[in-house]
Amino acid sequence: MRPITPAESNGAPPISSIELTPAFKLVFTSVVIITIVSLAVGVTLALIGSDDEGVKSVLSVVMSVFQLGAGATFGLLGGKAM
């Protein structure tokens, strides 16, 4: 008798049988691209930008988008693994 893995004990399919649909791939790729672009813009603004209030507010928004994108990435991966 073979041992029961944790994935089998909670009714989840084995990792090798998780199917990635084209819609999931599109959403995941979009979120990752937006996250990477927002991080690049944020780092660029932080290094090159002036101390103007407009630049600071744009930097704040861009970094918020990065945080949301990172959270969405982990959420998508976690939801797919369940």
Side-chain angles (χ1 to χ4, degrees), residues 9-66:
S9 66
N10 65 6
I15 299 294
S16 61
S17 71
I18 293 176
E19 197 171 309
L20 299 178
T21 63
F24 178 82
K25 290 177 184 178
L26 177 65
V27 170
F28 184 76
T29 304
S30 300
V31 168
V32 168
I33 289 172
I34 291 170
T35 304
I36 291 171
V37 168
S38 65
L39 179 63
V41 169
V43 169
T44 303
L45 281 176
L47 294 176
I48 298 174
S50 63
D51 288 337
D52 185 27
E53 282 299 316
V55 173
K56 287 182 181 179
S57 65
V58 170
L59 181 61
S60 175
V61 169
V62 167
M63 294 316 290
S64 293
V65 170
F66 168 72

